Structure formats: structure tokens, C-alpha cells
């Protein structure tokens, strides 16, 4: 008789205790940040929203890495987190910046269900969850001051989705890795066609995260997305107004 090999059962990774920096970053909402980390480590892993190997480094690599993005987000603006996934960076940003109005934009139902549960559980009244792709909500979603994203797509493709959602003179903030400068240089032609006027690579989180979080910042001019997207946005807006009248 032949027997199959026994597959070892992997024990779920344990969420480590929050580092001291987390208390400093999240302040009064530190308990909510801990609850979010627990949800990611449990339901987030079970639903396939985050890999089990990420659990031991949830605080440093994910929550704090995203929360320090707040250093470069202007006060009191509207934000759209494109491809929000499990809520990174949108939810950590919401926890440290109650002055912002944040939309978590995500196309997959299982992810939007998780996001809605998290928003309600943590009492994040300034956060809205929207299911859809960036290109689908163009003209339906109110243009925002800031678009955020993390680990969604290469910069040129990400800009094609995110930049058209901006208000005139708005900015996109993309959390990137060590190759941020290289990626930015390779995307300059595409960014120019999308109406981007300024670009820079920023390091944030001094004294809070190691390594520092790298952010690519792109600022648009009067026509976010360029001429082609201006026409597309106007057409989508007209269609939406007609639908509401019916």
C-alpha cells in the first residue's frame, strides 16, 4: 500500500506586541490601531487579504509604514485610496488623521466587505468604502485633493488610474520601495501626458520607521489626466446626471 506524504500543518503566526513608536504615532486611537492589526492578523489572513508571513511584521512593515504617510498629506483634504486592498495605507492614515475625508476604493467584493467591517468596528465616520475600479468611478466619484496608493501597480500604470481622479492641482502620493527613483524616471513620459507638472521622491517617518518610508509625489496641473481624461470625465459626469434624473 502506498501512502501520500504528510503535509505539515503550519501554525498561524502570532501578532507581536505593538512597538513604542506605534503609541506615539496613533495617539488616542492606539487601541483602534491594535484592533485593526488583530483583524489583519486573523480575518485578513483567513480571507486571503494578507499573507501569513506578514503577520510578524505587521506593525513595522505595514501599519507604521503607512501611517507616516500623513506627514506629507495636507490638512483637511479629501483623499481617495486607490486599490485599498486590506486598507493599506487608507486605514492607518484615517487613524492618525481624523481631519481627512477618505474614500477606500477597491474592486473586489471580499475586500470591500472586510473594509466596511473594519470601518464600522473602529468607528471611522470620516471613511467611506466604494467598490469599483478607478476607471469605472471616473465622473461618478467627486474629484479629490489627494490620491494614495501602495503596492498597486508600476507608477506609469498607477498614475493612469489615480491621476484622473484628482482635482486640478491635486497630488498623488504613492508608497514605493528602493527602486522609486528608477521607477519615476521610467514613468516621466507617461506622467507628462497625464498632466503632471511636478514630481519628487520623499522619505518620511524619521525616528519612527526603519527603513524610512519612500513616497513618490506627483502634482498635476489644471487638467488631471490630460485632455483625453478631461473629455472622458465630462462624459461620465453627464451620464451620471442623466441617470439620477430618471
Amino acid at each position: 500500500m502506498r501512502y501520500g506524504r504528510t503535509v505539515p500543518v503550519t501554525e498561524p503566526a502570532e501578532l507581536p506586541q505593538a512597538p513604542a513608536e506605534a503609541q506615539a504615532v496613533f495617539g488616542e486611537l492606539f487601541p483602534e490601531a491594535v484592533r485593526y492589526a488583530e483583524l489583519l492578523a486573523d480575518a485578513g489572513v483567513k480571507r486571503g487579504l494578507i499573507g501569513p508571513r506578514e503577520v510578524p511584521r505587521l506593525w513595522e512593515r505595514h501599519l507604521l509604514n503607512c501611517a507616516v504617510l500623513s506627514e506629507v498629506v495636507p490638512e483637511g483634504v479629501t483623499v481617495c485610496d486607490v486599490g485599498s486592498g486590506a486598507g493599506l495605507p487608507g486605514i492607518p492614515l484615517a487613524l492618525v488623521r481624523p481631519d481627512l475625508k477618505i474614500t477606500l476604493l477597491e474592486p473586489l467584493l471580499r475586500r470591500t466587505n472586510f473594509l466596511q467591517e473594519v470601518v464600522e468596528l473602529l468607528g471611522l465616520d470620516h471613511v467611506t468604502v466604494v467598490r469599483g475600479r478607478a476607471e469605472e468611478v471616473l465622473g461618478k466619484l467627486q474629484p479629490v485633493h489627494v490620491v494614495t496608493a501602495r503596492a498597486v501597480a508600476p507608477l506609469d500604470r498607477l498614475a493612469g488610474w489615480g491621476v484622473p481622479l484628482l482635482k486640478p492641482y491635486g497630488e498623488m502620493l504613492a508608497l514605493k520601495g528602493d527602486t522609486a527613483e528608477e521607477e519615476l524616471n521610467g514613468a516621466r513620459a507617461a506622467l507628462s501626458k497625464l498632466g503632471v507638472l511636478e514630481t519628487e521622491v520623499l522619505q518620511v517617518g524619521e525616528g519612527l520607521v526603519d527603513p524610512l518610508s519612500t513616497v513618490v509625489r506627483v502634482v498635476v496641473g489644471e487638467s488631471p489626466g490630460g485632455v483625453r481624461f478631461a473629455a472622458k470625465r465630462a462624459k461620465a459626469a453627464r451620464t451620471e446626471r442623466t441617470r439620477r434624473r430618471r
Side-chain angles (χ1 to χ4, degrees), residues 35-120:
R35 186 71 186 106
Y36 176 49
E38 291 170 346
L39 288 166
L40 286 175
D42 185 11
V45 172
K46 289 175 182 174
R47 298 189 198 182
L49 304 182
I50 192 163
R53 292 183 181 179
E54 297 303 311
V55 173
R57 49 187 186 176
L58 265 177
W59 284 105
E60 288 83 358
R61 184 180 172 87
H62 297 288
L63 274 76
L64 288 173
N65 175 271
C66 290
V68 296
L69 180 64
S70 65
E71 294 178 15
V72 289
V73 178
E75 194 172 333
V77 298
T78 52
V79 178
C80 181
D81 189 32
V82 172
S84 198
L88 301 165
I91 289 177
L93 184 61
L95 287 168
V96 296
R97 293 290 300 276
D99 59 298
L100 305 174
K101 290 190 179 301
I102 300 177
T103 298
L104 306 178
L105 181 62
E106 168 56 47
L108 294 184
L109 180 61
R110 63 188 170 90
R111 293 177 181 169
T112 53
N113 285 343
F114 175 78
L115 292 173
Q116 192 60 53
E117 290 166 19
V118 171
V119 166
E120 291 175 5

Side-chain angles (χ1 to χ4, degrees), residues 11-22:
E11 289 294 324
E14 188 174 338
L15 177 69
Q17 187 174 356
E21 292 85 354

Side-chain angles (χ1 to χ4, degrees), residues 3-239:
Y3 293 93
R5 288 183 300 171
T6 302
V7 178
V9 177
T10 304
E11 289 294 324
E14 188 174 338
L15 177 69
Q17 187 174 356
E21 292 85 354
Q23 199 138 14
V25 169
F26 291 104
E28 291 181 1
L29 290 185
F30 173 68
E32 282 77 5
V34 171
R35 186 71 186 106
Y36 176 49
E38 291 170 346
L39 288 166
L40 286 175
D42 185 11
V45 172
K46 289 175 182 174
R47 298 189 198 182
L49 304 182
I50 192 163
R53 292 183 181 179
E54 297 303 311
V55 173
R57 49 187 186 176
L58 265 177
W59 284 105
E60 288 83 358
R61 184 180 172 87
H62 297 288
L63 274 76
L64 288 173
N65 175 271
C66 290
V68 296
L69 180 64
S70 65
E71 294 178 15
V72 289
V73 178
E75 194 172 333
V77 298
T78 52
V79 178
C80 181
D81 189 32
V82 172
S84 198
L88 301 165
I91 289 177
L93 184 61
L95 287 168
V96 296
R97 293 290 300 276
D99 59 298
L100 305 174
K101 290 190 179 301
I102 300 177
T103 298
L104 306 178
L105 181 62
E106 168 56 47
L108 294 184
L109 180 61
R110 63 188 170 90
R111 293 177 181 169
T112 53
N113 285 343
F114 175 78
L115 292 173
Q116 192 60 53
E117 290 166 19
V118 171
V119 166
E120 291 175 5
L121 189 65
L122 302 185
L124 300 176
D125 297 335
H126 58 304
V127 178
T128 303
V129 178
V130 173
R131 185 185 175 199
R133 301 183 186 278
E135 56 270 34
E136 295 169 349
V137 301
L138 192 64
K140 300 175 185 177
L141 214 60
Q142 285 293 316
V144 295
H145 299 97
V146 176
V147 162
T148 59
R150 179 180 188 253
V152 174
L155 189 60
D156 54 352
R157 203 171 349 139
L158 173 63
W161 299 332
V163 166
L165 300 176
L166 290 168
K167 290 176 176 284
Y169 309 105
E171 58 191 89
M172 185 177 76
L173 301 170
L175 280 161
K176 290 289 182 180
D178 296 337
T179 60
E181 288 277 7
E182 182 182 337
E183 201 172 327
L184 177 57
N185 288 333
R188 289 195 188 281
L191 293 174
S192 179
K193 289 179 182 177
L194 289 167
V196 171
L197 299 182
E198 300 174 32
T199 63
E200 62 180 327
V201 175
L202 305 167
Q203 300 282 313
V204 296
E206 183 72 45
L208 298 169
V209 292
D210 184 19
L212 298 178
S213 298
T214 302
V215 181
V216 176
R217 177 175 178 259
V218 302
V219 182
V220 298
E222 193 173 342
S223 183
V227 176
R228 181 166 66 90
F229 278 100
K232 188 175 180 180
R233 189 162 46 240
K235 181 180 178 182
R238 287 196 300 272
T239 302

